Structure formats: C-alpha cells, structure tokens
Amino acid sequence: MYDHSILITENPTKKPKPSHENLVFGRTFTDHMFMMDYTEGIGWHDPRIVPYQPISLEPSSMAFHYGQTVFEGLKAYRNEEGRVLLFRPEQNMRRMNLSNERLCIPAIDEEFALFALKKLVDLEKEWIPTAEGTSLYIRPFIIATEPFLGVSPSKRYQFIIILSPVGAYYKEGINPVKIAVEEEFVRSVKGGTGTAKTGGNYSASLKAQEVATKKGCAQVLWLDGLEKKYIEEVGSMNVFFKINGEIITPALNGSILAGVTRSSIIDLLKNWGIPVTEKKISIAEIREAHAMGLLEEAFGTGTAAVISPIGSFHWQEHDMIINNGETGILSSRLFETLTGIQTGKLEDPFGWVNEVNVLQRS
Ligand code: COI
C-alpha cells in the first residue's frame, strides 16, 4: 500500500492568465500539474503536485516507441457563487482503468486519482474561466517510462494530470460543422483498441483528418473497419442522428469509444421521453433518410466538443446538407441543458455534478 498524502511544491512564478474571451482549445496550461510514478514491485508511488514543467525521460522510454499510453479528458466549471464543478469524473477514472487494462498498464486507484485531480483543480481554481462556452479542460494521462526497446509491457509508468483553460473545440464554436465520411482509412476493428482512450487511435486518424481538412471539413466520420458500411464515430466525438422524430446512435460494438457525454445524452433523451435507439446503422440508410427528407438533425457528442451540430456530411463526392446547415432545435436544447447542468445553472436531477471539495481522504 502506498502513502496517499500528496506532496505539494508551489510554483513561485505564476503565469498571467489568458483573457477568457479569446481562449482556444488546449494551448495554455496552468501553473501546476499532478504526477505519480509506478515501479514494478512497488506499485504507484510518490503522488505530488509540482510546478507545470517539462518532464525528463530517457529517449528509450517505451511510450515513445510502442505507444503504450492512455488518456482521459474532462472539464471543470466555476459558477457565479464560486463553486467548482466536475461532470461525472468517476466515469473518466473508470474508463481510464478500462483503457489501462487493454494497454497492459497497471490499474490506478480510481478514488485516489479523483481525489488527486480535485486537489489539483482546487489549487488552480483561479484558472477556471467563467465566460460563456469556456471551462478548465483536465487531461489525465499515463505513459510507459521504462527505458527498453523490447516489445512488452513497461515496468515503469508516470501518471500525470495537466490543466488547460479552454474555449470551443472547433473554430466553428457551437455552429454546425462539416464532416467528411471516410472511405479509405479505418479507425478500429472489434478486438482492436477502439474502445480504449489511447494515443495510437488518434495518431492513426491524422491522415484521414488531413484529407478531410483539404475538403473543408472539420473532422471525419468513421465507418466500420470490415465492410466500411456502418457508422462508428466522428474523430473526437460520438454521433447521433434524428430521423423522422427518432434519435439513433451507433450501438457500442467493441470498436466505438463509450463516451461519457454519449451516455449522458441518452439518459437525458430518455428522461424527456424522446425515443432513442442504439443500433447498427449504415451510411446508406443515412443517405436514404436524407433523400426522403427525414434526416432532421445530426450532432456529435464529446467532452471537448460538448454537443456539436453537424451541418453536412460529405460522402462519395456529394454533400448531404442537414437542416439547411443550421443548428437544430433538439441539438440546441441538448446543448443548453447539458451545459446548464455542467455549469450548475440548471438543476441536476441525475446526480452527475461532482463538486470539488478537497476534504482530506480518510
Ligand atoms: C475529449 O473529448 O475530451 C477527447 O478526449 C477528445 C480529444 C481527442 C480532444
């Protein structure tokens, strides 16, 4: 058993905080970060909060060579009364351990990791922006640090949490984005690492993203890896469609990431009495619904993107324009409700909001 007390080394030099109005996603980092090491035979040890700084690793560290890494993403909000709120953070810790399991990384103590995360966010609470559409993005991640070139699970790791005040993920803000349906590359297959939040899934997506950007699209819509027929997810989001009044999202099938926002949206829709179906759905069905005028809305869900309305899909050289390229009524309602709950402006009937309250752990 390791010591749970977290040593704090205060940063003597505090950086100026960026203006809340001009924040972009993921470019600015706060004054401190959390770190903890893992050594085989000892376990996770030396939890500490230190000044945000470069980390020193051997060039032979295994993360650089074979991509044994996992990460998470969640957000903190500060409301008018100064309360600091997290959204379902225990879900992120749970999923991090599922990713760890897939990547042969030793499990973290989820309760302790959340305690450490809260302690860091509490220390950095002045960094939480309060302007509309902004938040403090929290990025916990684990990297394999053993200096070794053999392909095997590392015997050493670092678990780090960094914080970044952010604005909207897309340059479009909350306006609808154009999405390219990917026809050549695939993201994952059942049995692969698609359900894990690991760096390799994202580096494998860059080529398709590059091609999509040239077509003027913000991201790609991935199809299944075997037949390239069935819809999986968008680059950094899960995807939902409103077809003739019914909400449909691809069922989790072993290659799709189980998004925390995805599951929250499903719960919200059910709570509103709006039919929502998780099922296998093909891009051909989407085109047919579009041709019949039944594709009413489409939107992506994710921590970084929150709810991102989709204005069009580009597939086989054609554009399927959705809702005249404008944000749909349901997408807006979901966005307003979800962000309202997350920021504490609306009541939280689901018990999702978790207040940062750094009472000492017993
Ligand atoms: C998130 O939504 O938090 C993600 O992890 C997506 C990321 C690749 C920006």
Side-chain angles (χ1 to χ4, degrees):
M1 196 58 196
Y2 53 86
D3 183 0
H4 272 127
S5 51
I6 300 174
L7 192 74
I8 300 182
T9 310
E10 280 249 9
N11 195 334
T13 46
K14 305 280 191 294
K15 288 179 280 201
K17 301 193 176 49
S19 115
H20 290 183
E21 281 68 31
N22 305 317
L23 282 172
V24 291
F25 184 85
R27 294 268 181 208
T28 312
F29 301 95
T30 68
D31 292 318
H32 297 88
M33 61 190 192
F34 171 80
M35 295 184 89
M36 170 164 80
D37 303 314
Y38 178 90
T39 311
E40 193 180 63
I42 300 176
W44 289 105
H45 59 94
D46 287 313
R48 57 205 183 274
I49 289 174
V50 294
Y52 179 92
Q53 62 193 290
I55 53 173
S56 169
L57 291 176
E58 296 205 29
S60 52
S61 294
M62 295 175 85
F64 295 138
H65 303 274
Y66 309 121
Q68 200 192 4
T69 67
V70 297
F71 72 94
E72 271 302 323
L74 62 158
K75 284 176 172 172
Y77 301 86
R78 189 156 50 117
N79 75 5
E80 280 146 20
E81 303 120 49
R83 289 168 66 216
V84 175
L85 307 175
L86 300 170
F87 185 70
R88 309 185 77 184
E90 61 293 332
Q91 297 283 325
N92 296 90
M93 296 303 137
R94 183 81 284 273
R95 187 171 62 185
M96 189 163 218
N97 265 344
L98 295 175
S99 301
N100 283 339
E101 160 63 24
R102 180 64 182 82
L103 272 289
C104 295
I105 293 175
I108 51 165
D109 173 337
E110 292 168 30
E111 199 194 321
F112 175 68
L114 181 53
F115 169 76
L117 184 153
K118 286 182 167 183
K119 200 150 183 115
L120 178 67
V121 170
D122 188 54
L123 183 70
E124 301 287 66
K125 57 178 177 286
E126 295 304 318
W127 280 89
I128 307 175
T130 50
E132 189 80 27
T134 63
S135 58
L136 186 71
Y137 187 76
I138 305 168
R139 171 52 61 86
F141 63 104
I142 300 178
I143 49 174
T145 54
E146 187 190 354
F148 179 47
L149 295 184
V151 179
S152 62
S154 175
K155 293 182 169 50
R156 282 163 46 183
Y157 299 88
Q158 271 187 336
F159 174 42
I160 303 177
I161 307 175
I162 55 174
L163 307 176
S164 173
V166 297
Y169 184 68
Y170 295 114
K171 68 172 174 22
E172 289 85 347
I174 54 163
N175 296 320
V177 287
K178 254 181 101 171
I179 302 284
V181 180
E182 179 52 47
E183 294 171 64
E184 183 185 358
F185 303 108
V186 298
R187 175 181 176 273
S188 184
V189 289
K190 196 167 177 211
T193 56
T195 54
K197 234 169 151 48
T198 181
N201 289 339
Y202 296 80
S203 54
S205 76
L206 297 178
K207 194 72 213 166
Q209 176 66 47
E210 191 178 70
V211 178
T213 306
K214 286 193 187 129
K215 292 180 189 155
C217 293
Q219 289 217 343
V220 302
L221 176 74
W222 295 108
L223 301 180
D224 74 280
L226 287 180
E227 299 179 73
K228 294 197 195 139
K229 274 189 188 166
Y230 298 100
I231 292 166
E232 299 250 303
E233 62 183 81
V234 174
S236 59
M237 312 185 283
N238 293 112
V239 64
F240 287 73
F241 304 93
K242 181 169 181 237
I243 301 177
N244 200 19
E246 183 189 10
I247 315 301
I248 300 170
T249 190
L252 299 179
N253 59 357
S255 56
I256 295 175
L257 188 83
V260 177
T261 314
R262 176 189 182 278
S263 92
S264 310
I265 290 300
I266 293 173
D267 289 351
L268 209 47
L269 288 166
K270 285 187 178 158
N271 185 264
W272 289 346
I274 297 178
V276 49
T277 312
E278 297 176 68
K279 68 174 189 191
K280 199 167 172 176
I281 178 156
S282 69
I283 185 68
E285 287 171 81
I286 296 298
R287 183 154 70 185
E288 201 182 309
H290 182 258
M292 292 168 71
L294 300 176
L295 179 57
E296 298 164 51
E297 290 186 39
F299 55 89
T301 65
T303 297
V306 193
I307 305 289
S308 182
I310 297 174
S312 68
F313 287 112
H314 184 82
W315 186 46
Q316 295 181 338
E317 305 307 321
H318 295 290
D319 282 327
M320 291 181 239
I321 314 278
I322 304 161
N323 194 39
N324 293 321
E326 286 163 19
T327 302
I329 293 171
L330 182 70
S331 309
S332 299
R333 184 177 172 205
L334 286 168
F335 177 83
E336 294 303 330
T337 309
L338 190 67
T339 54
I341 293 175
Q342 288 171 333
T343 54
K345 287 192 190 110
L346 292 181
E347 205 197 318
D348 167 23
F350 303 95
W352 285 337
V353 168
N354 189 318
E355 189 157 354
V356 171
N357 168 6
V358 214
L359 293 175
Q360 277 308 313
R361 197 170 183 265
S362 54

